[in-house]
Amino acid sequence: MLNEEKPLNFIEEIIEEDLLAGKHDGRVLTRFPPEPNGYLHIGHAKSICLNFGLGERFNGKTNLRFDDTNPATEDTEYVDSIKQDIQWLGFKWAEECYTSDYFDTLYNFAEDLISKELAYVDDSTAEEIAAAKGTPTTPGTPTPHRSRSVEENLTLFREMRAGKYKDGEKVLRAKIDLANPNMHLRDPLLYRIKHAHHHRTADKWCIYPMYDFAHGQSDSIENITHSICTLEFIPHRPLYDWCIEKLEIFPSKQYEFARLNMTYTVMSKRKLLQLVNEGFVESWNDPRMPTISGLRRRGYTPSSIRTFCDKIGVQKRENMIDVSLLEFCIREDLNKTALRRMAVLDPVKLIITNYPEGQVEQLEGENNPEEENGGGTRTIPFSRELWIERDDFMEEAPKKFFRLGPGLAVRLKHAYIVKCHDFIKDATGKVTEIHCEYFPDSKSGEDTSGIKVKGTIHWVSCAHAKEATIKLYDRLFNDENPAAAEDFKSSINPESLKTIETAYIEPDLASAQPETGYQFIRLGYFCLDSKSSSDKLIFNRTVTLRDSWAKTVNKG
Ligand code: ATP
Ligand code: MG
């Protein structure tokens, strides 16, 4: 029955039991139900991996359902991005569904409830309804409209649909139990009037079903067997079951799991939208955003996100996951796959005074030492003048500085050993040139010089290097749990983006493609930004080579 041998999470255990009991003839159908009012984030990835994972594991299927009952905030831009993100993560849905396609059916369901004396039209204002609902410890009181006849309710509800009333003038409510300890059962709203243009049904409707009257019924219409949602919907479950029971429709069942919370970020579309609208980030796919599209642009791979979701598992209790686990997953992934290249972010010139002027050597560098045969090689031009990192040179180097300084020698990666004999400073004291000599018999791979050096540094040839803009990202918030603060934006990290306008990169990188991971040797993992162009190359740092952040925090 199972596709793979992995321990079962608690939802898988439930499904396993259902299958053993012969429920639904062994059929498993789940759904992922985003509201198209924003881009998907890493929390949604957890839900996607869970729902589609169940489909895959139990030879079942998963529908993609757009929960589009709120015309004011929804848009086709979001629909498109959601589809793209799910596909990118590597999942295939069985059916593409829209709650709005069920509006006629849902409307008929509502009339059915009215006919069964289980729903009524209420003219009370939102405030009046709230006041009459009571409190969890005191029962509510009926509004004057609760005793309307079936005929009157049908007439009024049809008039609501026909557009006779203004927004908020009337609502349709279920007639359940005004004393129920579960407030969701105290005659919940089923339909509201909203004269708004819908991105799919246009102006056909001016009444829209509430979540609680749309979600379970949509599950049922699609014959969903296991409807998985997050913990905050536990109190809605009795209403979910009530509607299905009273309407006598397919008995979908709801199960709840803990949503993903992650440190140093926010995970609600409403808050993410604010970050975009108020210009704290460039867009929904800003590489600092926890959105799938932001992570993609940042250089995260689908497999790193799926591995992360696998590692965090599925729990019944709220918890907070450390973002460094996500970073760990991409590091592990890119270490295996990223092409190794050289780039110099803070350049200073190194001149090899005994290297012939005008001479160029094409050296070989392996693409990835983690792969068999180094993953093939690329050629790297080498010449007399090179860019190296400014912090690989110290005028007065301490003892354990195994890089360059007067009298010190290092290996240039894939090339020769060089020894510094001089340097030049400008009027401000800034080093502008480092002069070295090289040892012609110390070439990497064929070194017969017998010289031993402890350090190896990266470089690019001045005459051959390409220029690139480099974007270094840090966490978007300084606070571990920004959403807990009164104003989540108060802990935005003003240094979450550092731009290096001109860095020098290996010429081979001019043909880099977005979504291909590179390790810039000694610097981190990088990828071409999707906004890069051939006249302005832009690279994003996906993640550093090591978890440098944990260290600074500990030090502080
Ligand atoms: P948000 O609060 O970010 O707007 P939402 O729950 O309103 O999220 P939906 O589009 O309704 O967003 O969510 C689609 C599915 O994704 C739902 O089943 C929801 O439970 C799930 N989901 C949303 N956020 C998370 C999260 N942080 N962790 C796990 N699942 C989530
Ligand atoms: Mg929602």
Side-chain angles (χ1 to χ4, degrees):
M1 177 182 310
L2 287 181
N3 285 334
E4 18 178 333
E5 289 309 317
K6 242 189 343 180
L8 299 180
N9 64 46
F10 78 96
I11 292 180
E12 289 167 339
E13 277 171 8
I14 293 170
I15 297 184
E16 177 92 319
E17 274 169 34
D18 287 350
L19 291 177
L20 288 173
K23 239 185 181 177
H24 308 305
D25 305 319
R27 191 175 59 85
V28 173
L29 179 61
T30 58
R31 88 287 172 265
F32 173 65
E35 185 181 349
N37 62 350
Y39 282 62
L40 297 181
H41 51 60
I42 183 79
H44 292 112
K46 176 175 177 179
S47 175
I48 292 169
C49 289
L50 174 58
N51 279 297
F52 283 89
L54 293 172
E56 284 175 3
R57 191 156 193 183
F58 294 100
N59 293 317
K61 288 178 178 168
T62 304
N63 284 351
L64 167 61
R65 179 188 326 133
F66 291 100
D67 202 349
D68 56 350
T69 57
N70 194 353
T73 53
E74 296 161 2
D75 200 273
T76 46
E77 175 199 343
Y78 300 132
V79 169
D80 296 340
S81 76
I82 289 168
K83 284 161 65 174
Q84 189 194 0
D85 288 351
I86 298 171
Q87 283 168 331
W88 179 77
L89 283 173
F91 294 107
K92 280 202 182 79
W93 52 86
E95 306 278 341
E96 179 180 330
C97 308
Y98 293 82
T99 302
S100 56
D101 286 349
Y102 310 141
F103 281 169
D104 282 296
T105 311
L106 294 172
Y107 176 85
N108 292 333
F109 285 161
E111 287 210 356
D112 186 25
L113 285 188
I114 294 174
S115 304
K116 291 173 172 163
E117 293 189 65
L118 292 170
Y120 61 98
V121 173
D122 199 330
D123 307 351
S124 314
T125 64
E127 294 72 31
E128 286 163 348
I129 289 176
K133 261 202 169 176
T135 68
T137 49
T138 55
T141 46
T143 63
H145 318 286
R146 196 172 197 260
S147 50
R148 277 179 169 149
S149 69
V150 169
E151 291 66 36
E152 192 184 354
N153 280 318
L154 277 178
T155 306
L156 290 171
F157 189 50
R158 286 172 188 166
E159 287 175 354
M160 279 168 64
R161 176 189 183 163
K164 187 164 176 192
Y165 306 108
K166 290 201 280 293
D167 289 7
E169 229 176 293
K170 287 188 173 22
V171 290
L172 184 73
R173 298 177 71 180
K175 194 171 187 175
I176 308 182
D177 175 9
L178 286 170
N180 201 292
N182 181 341
M183 298 297 281
H184 291 280
L185 292 176
R186 293 193 184 178
D187 291 10
L189 304 198
L190 304 181
Y191 265 91
R192 66 202 165 117
I193 301 172
K194 185 135 189 107
H195 292 269
H197 188 84
H198 187 280
H199 69 107
R200 293 188 92 235
T201 57
D203 300 306
K204 180 176 174 195
W205 294 89
C206 63
I207 56 172
Y208 290 93
M210 304 299 290
Y211 173 88
D212 285 319
F213 195 65
H215 204 94
Q217 283 66 276
S218 300
D219 286 341
S220 184
I221 291 168
E222 292 171 23
N223 292 320
I224 299 295
T225 57
H226 299 82
S227 173
I228 323 275
C229 61
T230 43
L231 293 179
E232 64 275 20
F233 290 99
I234 289 177
H236 295 249
R237 198 196 317 143
L239 180 54
Y240 182 104
D241 292 337
W242 183 90
C243 290
I244 284 178
E245 185 200 321
K246 299 301 176 194
L247 291 167
E248 299 168 84
I249 53 178
F250 179 81
S252 300
K253 285 276 173 206
Q254 175 185 303
Y255 304 90
E256 308 86 8
F257 72 105
R259 64 192 299 115
L260 169 66
N261 299 305
M262 202 166 68
T263 55
Y264 301 103
T265 192
V266 291
M267 203 87 85
S268 115
K269 282 180 280 185
R270 195 177 47 80
K271 293 197 175 81
L272 295 174
L273 181 63
Q274 272 184 61
L275 294 176
V276 176
N277 284 346
E278 295 172 29
F280 290 103
V281 294
E282 176 196 295
S283 53
W284 278 99
N285 73 345
D286 185 300
R288 291 165 293 179
M289 291 280 268
T291 50
I292 312 267
S293 50
L295 291 167
R296 173 166 64 235
R297 187 169 160 198
R298 173 92 170 240
Y300 276 75
T301 58
S303 70
S304 67
I305 294 175
R306 290 173 70 152
T307 303
F308 170 74
C309 291
D310 231 37
K311 280 188 193 293
I312 58 180
V314 181
Q315 299 81 18
K316 292 184 200 177
R317 258 179 249 287
E318 286 283 347
N319 56 6
M320 177 70 90
I321 302 290
D322 194 327
V323 65
S324 56
L325 180 62
L326 181 62
E327 293 166 351
F328 170 83
C329 292
I330 186 62
R331 230 178 245 126
E332 291 277 289
D333 193 12
L334 290 176
N335 181 43
K336 286 193 223 104
T337 58
L339 298 168
R340 272 56 171 175
R341 294 291 182 267
M342 295 195 283
V344 175
L345 304 194
D346 184 13
V348 62
K349 192 173 274 187
L350 181 151
I351 299 175
I352 306 173
T353 49
N354 63 338
Y355 195 87
E357 273 187 58
Q359 179 172 311
V360 178
E361 277 179 85
Q362 297 294 341
L363 303 177
E364 295 260 297
E366 55 189 7
N367 279 324
N368 185 348
E370 297 287 315
E371 276 184 40
E372 226 175 287
N373 304 324
T377 57
R378 85 278 187 191
T379 52
I380 316 161
F382 181 84
S383 64
R384 178 184 161 94
E385 298 196 0
L386 311 173
W387 296 116
I388 65 163
E389 297 291 347
R390 181 164 292 282
D391 68 3
D392 278 337
F393 175 86
M394 275 181 94
E395 195 178 332
E396 284 167 47
K399 246 196 166 155
K400 291 211 167 157
F401 189 74
F402 300 124
R403 292 179 261 170
L404 277 179
L408 295 180
V410 288
R411 172 168 299 282
L412 297 170
K413 181 82 180 168
H414 301 308
Y416 297 93
I417 294 173
V418 292
K419 186 172 182 180
C420 170
H421 60 80
D422 198 6
F423 62 96
I424 296 177
K425 289 203 273 190
D426 66 12
T428 66
K430 192 174 163 185
V431 175
T432 53
E433 274 179 24
I434 298 161
H435 294 175
C436 293
E437 58 175 2
Y438 88 119
F439 301 94
D441 54 355
S442 68
K443 191 168 172 178
S444 269
E446 47 198 76
D447 182 357
T448 54
S449 69
I451 304 167
K452 294 269 170 283
V453 289
K454 284 210 164 123
T456 299
I457 65 170
H458 60 274
W459 53 274
V460 290
S461 163
C462 296
H464 305 88
K466 303 281 176 205
E467 289 188 6
T469 295
I470 309 277
K471 300 204 170 182
L472 305 176
Y473 300 102
D474 199 351
R475 290 165 187 185
L476 192 49
F477 294 90
N478 282 323
D479 195 335
E480 197 172 270
N481 186 6
E486 199 173 317
D487 174 13
F488 75 98
K489 289 173 282 181
S490 62
S491 65
I492 283 187
N493 176 7
E495 284 158 26
S496 61
L497 167 61
K498 192 176 150 209
T499 303
I500 296 173
E501 288 302 337
T502 310
Y504 293 106
I505 61 175
E506 247 185 81
D508 178 78
L509 282 167
S511 59
Q513 296 297 317
E515 295 188 45
T516 301
Y518 293 92
Q519 185 191 98
F520 288 0
I521 292 166
R522 300 171 70 220
L523 298 176
Y525 294 101
F526 292 76
C527 71
L528 193 73
D529 186 60
S530 52
K531 292 213 168 147
S532 181
S533 65
S534 51
D535 16 296
K536 188 170 160 81
L537 291 170
I538 306 171
F539 283 85
N540 295 321
R541 184 171 68 195
T542 311
V543 70
T544 53
L545 289 179
R546 269 166 232 92
D547 189 354
S548 54
W549 219 79
K551 267 184 251 149
T552 47
V553 169
N554 293 341
K555 264 190 237 155

